[in-house]
Amino acid sequence: MSDALRDQVRAFILENYLFTSDTKALGVDDSLLGRGIVDSTGMLEIIFFIEEQLGVKVKDEEMIPENLDSVNRITAFVESRRKAA
Amino acid sequence: MTLVEQFQVHARATPDAPALVWNHTSWSYAELARAQRAAAAGLLAHGIVRGDRVALLLRNSPEYAAALFGVFAVGGIAVALNSLERAEVLARQIRHSGARVLVVDPAHLEFERVKALLEGHPVHFVRVPTTDAASAVDTFLAAFSEAPAATLPSPADSDPAMLIYTSGTTGRPKAVMLGHGNLASNAQAIIQYLGLTASDRGFCVLPFHFSYGNSVLTSHLACGATLIIEDNLAFPQRSMQRMSALRATGFAGVPSTFTLLLQRGGLRDYDFSALRYVTQAGGAMTRATTQRLRAELPGVRVFVMYGQTEATARISYLPPEHLDTKPGSVGLPVAGTRVEVCDAGGQPVPAGSIGELRVHGPGVMLGYWQDADATSEVLRDGWLCTGDLGHKDADGFLFVDGRTVEMIKVGAFRVSPYEVEEAIALLDGVEEVAVGAMPDEVLGQAVKAVVVLRNGAQLDALAVKAHCRQALATYKIPKSVEFALQLPRTLTGKVQRLQLTESNR
């Protein structure tokens, strides 16, 4: 898994939902929903981030926790979509 | 009949019917009744008597419903806490309500901090894990660990049953006090116009601590229907899959729910042939969104509604057959309720003229909890002054045109600018702050803050937001923080929040 991509995803969530640059505030496997970091509109913003900043289109049916509910899951999803493209 | 009595009629008549479905679990009416009786007995054993407050800090779950109805059954007053709130706010509300018992999910993220903040305050914690394991009912019974009580009091309609905290125009906590009569009559009015029956299966993504979500829960349990509970809509496709697979007959949402579903729900991909109706309340939804929703869900009746926590929940609804003839209207008052459009002196104005909407009927709250001043501002001669501006057309159909008070509506939540200002003002280096609304594509509005720093102080937007995250629920955190040398003021020196708001439009 790309460290640069993972750092970029983590930095986005830290800045926009935890309002900090302290990486200790968010574990890469922490559940974004379970920890109350994002709600349903926050998840929508993460989708926009993935599409606009990371250049990967998220299909409606791909909006599932397995793809999006942690830094590592988002990173793995984006990588797999980039490879498939 | 109170809500509990209505619920118990169904628990006796159809004990095996599913009452609540949540994740992998389903509670029958008999199981929910058993849990509710155990909660009641447990609360009695904790010394809870008529009029005592019992706070609930539980996410949407069958456990929440069992605890709520347990409190009702002993004549207690349920304090429905917002599980999205931060510890400081929760602790303040628990103290303000004078709750003697807190029924809480020990896994709640803020529980440890709430406990610490309540140190020295006489409140007993009943820990109820919310679980979708097969043993959920037994886990709930064990939390209260008492034999069912032999006799329970029979509360009067005018006895308070529930407190729902709402954003006030000051930073002080303000709780709407609803009576057993309020809850029962509003649930019956909803059952009537939606035509709800025991064969209905509602699908609820709305939080139960919020009056709209509360009305969905109570109306289903009062008519023997099934309610399918979802915690959130973060993964809309998953929710829609579930709604289709479980053949839901009804769905309740606020404008942002429908915006989200129309953007990302893939509504056309699912079989919603069982879906009979959807309801929309919680603020104005654009006509374009209503039209798109109708196009995506052909054959489904769309109810556009209007309500307020101070009126229990529902004030009016537009019969779906009038969607095209009365576009933009919130319809006609629910059964037993009157709505007048009044001038500043409280006199009704003619059709077509805009005034404040005032409401009279069985849903109008008892008042604000221990706040006679705030109560007398909005309850006058039995009429509720809603603070909403509107008009009626020549046929008596209601239209909402705006609000008289400065309140930000984020999704369906009312956010008081004062509460956010007070939180930011506590931050070192802040000289003054003003908070207003900014437009938001999904939520309708979001919070915007303008901050004036003290000389030499160094703060950035991130630091302000990080501070807010510690003190406020997520939806109250400003989406935009700007810095200015001074705030917009009137000639008399009053901060112009409206100017702040409109400068962004």
Side-chain angles (χ1 to χ4, degrees):
Chain A
M1 201 180 289
S2 152
D3 285 349
L5 177 61
R6 187 167 58 192
D7 290 349
Q8 191 182 355
V9 170
R10 177 149 67 175
F12 173 82
I13 293 165
L14 284 170
E15 175 170 347
N16 288 281
Y17 304 99
L18 293 163
F19 313 111
T20 174
S21 54
D22 179 5
T23 54
K24 289 199 289 296
L26 178 64
V28 287
D29 288 313
D30 287 0
S31 160
L32 302 179
L33 217 60
R35 276 200 52 203
I37 294 167
V38 299
D39 56 10
S40 41
T41 49
M43 197 50 83
L44 204 58
E45 288 167 353
I46 290 178
I47 302 294
F48 289 141
F49 163 74
I50 295 172
E51 295 189 336
E52 302 294 320
Q53 307 287 317
L54 304 182
V56 166
K57 174 92 184 105
V58 184
K59 295 181 192 147
D60 290 349
E61 62 271 23
E62 290 169 340
M63 276 186 77
I64 52 174
E66 291 79 354
N67 290 339
L68 300 167
D69 196 28
S70 71
V71 170
N72 268 346
R73 287 178 180 194
I74 294 171
T75 310
F77 168 69
V78 170
E79 277 192 339
S80 75
R81 289 299 311 277
R82 281 178 175 171
K83 275 184 196 146
Chain B
M1 265 205 289
T2 63
L3 279 179
V4 173
E5 288 162 345
Q6 293 175 40
F7 160 71
Q8 283 166 344
V9 166
H10 296 289
R12 281 192 295 272
T14 54
D16 298 327
L20 299 167
V21 177
W22 181 57
N23 292 343
H24 303 292
T25 183
S26 170
W27 291 37
S28 68
Y29 268 83
E31 288 171 320
L32 186 59
R34 200 171 148 222
Q36 174 251 325
R37 283 194 302 270
L43 291 170
L44 285 176
H46 284 302
I48 293 296
V49 296
R50 190 173 154 186
D52 281 347
R53 276 77 63 209
V54 177
L56 310 180
L57 184 54
L58 301 167
R59 60 179 165 169
N60 274 16
S61 55
E63 287 85 353
Y64 174 94
L68 178 73
F69 275 60
V71 180
F72 291 162
V74 296
I77 304 175
V79 183
L81 297 170
N82 179 352
S83 57
L84 303 173
E85 274 294 3
R86 302 282 177 242
E88 285 76 9
V89 174
L90 294 167
R92 206 182 309 143
Q93 292 176 345
I94 291 165
R95 284 174 191 272
H96 178 257
S97 69
R100 296 183 48 206
V101 169
L102 173 67
V103 182
V104 57
D105 185 341
H108 190 282
L109 295 170
E110 297 287 289
F111 178 46
E112 289 304 318
R113 289 214 295 140
V114 168
K115 230 171 37 180
L117 287 164
L118 289 174
E119 190 74 47
H121 181 75
V123 60
H124 183 83
F125 302 112
V126 177
R127 291 167 176 79
V128 175
T130 52
T131 165
D132 65 346
S135 56
V137 177
D138 292 331
T139 306
F140 186 90
L141 297 177
F144 286 95
S145 66
E146 286 296 325
T151 52
L152 291 169
S154 206
D157 276 358
S158 57
D159 283 348
M162 190 166 190
L163 301 183
I164 299 181
Y165 278 89
T166 177
S167 284
T169 48
T170 67
R172 279 181 299 150
K174 190 159 109 176
V176 171
M177 179 170 44
L178 300 174
H180 287 276
N182 291 147
L183 293 168
S185 65
N186 213 241
Q188 281 306 322
I190 292 166
I191 289 167
Q192 188 185 326
Y193 72 76
L194 289 180
L196 284 182
T197 68
S199 56
D200 267 298
R201 289 178 303 280
F203 193 87
C204 186
V205 297
L206 304 167
F208 290 153
H209 60 78
F210 163 65
S211 61
Y212 186 9
N214 183 54
S215 75
V216 174
L217 174 65
T218 56
S219 57
H220 280 74
L221 294 182
C223 75
T226 302
L227 191 64
I228 304 156
I229 305 170
E230 285 276 290
D231 280 346
N232 61 70
L233 255 189
F235 304 105
Q237 290 267 331
R238 279 281 160 89
S239 300
M240 292 301 98
Q241 255 169 19
R242 191 168 157 75
M243 184 160 122
S244 168
L246 295 173
R247 304 209 39 86
T249 60
F251 177 82
V254 298
S256 57
T257 315
F258 295 112
T259 306
L260 190 72
L261 289 181
L262 288 170
Q263 278 185 12
R264 288 292 181 170
L267 293 178
R268 283 175 194 260
D269 299 343
Y270 297 100
D271 169 12
F272 288 132
S273 54
L275 191 65
R276 202 166 61 72
Y277 70 90
V278 300
T279 61
Q280 178 264 312
M285 186 156 93
T286 64
R287 283 183 223 170
T289 306
T290 309
Q291 290 305 91
R292 275 190 65 201
L293 187 63
R294 291 171 74 193
E296 295 273 325
L297 296 173
V300 175
R301 285 158 66 80
V302 176
F303 286 82
V304 174
M305 321 188 296
Y306 164 63
Q308 209 175 56
T309 308
E310 285 83 345
T312 305
R314 202 55 46 233
I315 293 172
S316 73
Y317 72 101
L318 181 66
E321 53 274 23
H322 287 292
L323 277 170
D324 292 316
T325 55
K326 301 289 181 188
S329 173
V330 292
L332 302 165
V334 298
T337 297
R338 286 155 64 198
V339 180
E340 293 286 1
V341 183
C342 297
D343 61 20
Q347 294 305 306
V349 298
S353 304
I354 292 179
E356 186 186 31
L357 299 178
R358 297 195 177 184
V359 179
H360 190 282
V364 171
M365 66 169 180
L366 303 174
Y368 293 114
W369 174 249
Q370 292 188 331
D371 197 337
D373 290 346
T375 301
S376 64
E377 275 174 32
V378 300
L379 286 187
R380 294 181 202 154
D381 303 323
W383 287 80
L384 168 69
C385 305
T386 61
D388 289 325
L389 295 173
H391 69 276
K392 279 186 194 177
D393 70 6
D395 300 322
F397 282 73
L398 283 167
F399 293 79
V400 179
D401 299 302
R403 272 190 73 73
T404 58
V405 288
E406 293 170 331
M407 200 64 77
I408 307 165
K409 197 125 190 191
V410 181
F413 292 114
R414 275 192 261 173
V415 177
S416 159
Y418 300 90
E419 184 185 358
V420 182
E421 285 172 4
E422 287 189 13
I424 295 175
L426 292 174
L427 196 57
D428 254 359
V430 172
E431 176 76 35
E432 54 179 356
V433 53
V435 165
M438 61 186 275
D440 184 272
E441 202 182 322
V442 174
L443 296 168
Q445 289 190 323
V447 176
K448 174 191 173 181
V450 177
V451 177
V452 178
L453 292 179
R454 287 209 185 100
N455 265 342
Q458 299 224 323
L459 266 181
D460 60 13
L462 214 55
V464 174
K465 292 181 187 180
H467 167 76
C468 289
R469 192 174 191 278
Q470 297 301 316
L472 300 168
T474 308
Y475 62 88
K476 298 176 184 173
I477 301 171
K479 189 160 185 175
S480 155
V481 176
E482 288 176 11
F483 294 90
L485 294 174
Q486 56 184 25
L487 299 178
R489 290 182 188 279
T490 62
L491 287 174
T492 56
K494 193 168 181 275
V495 173
Q496 288 178 299
R497 283 200 188 75
L498 218 55
Q499 189 179 322
L500 194 73
T501 298
E502 285 172 354
S503 67
N504 275 276
R505 283 191 179 151

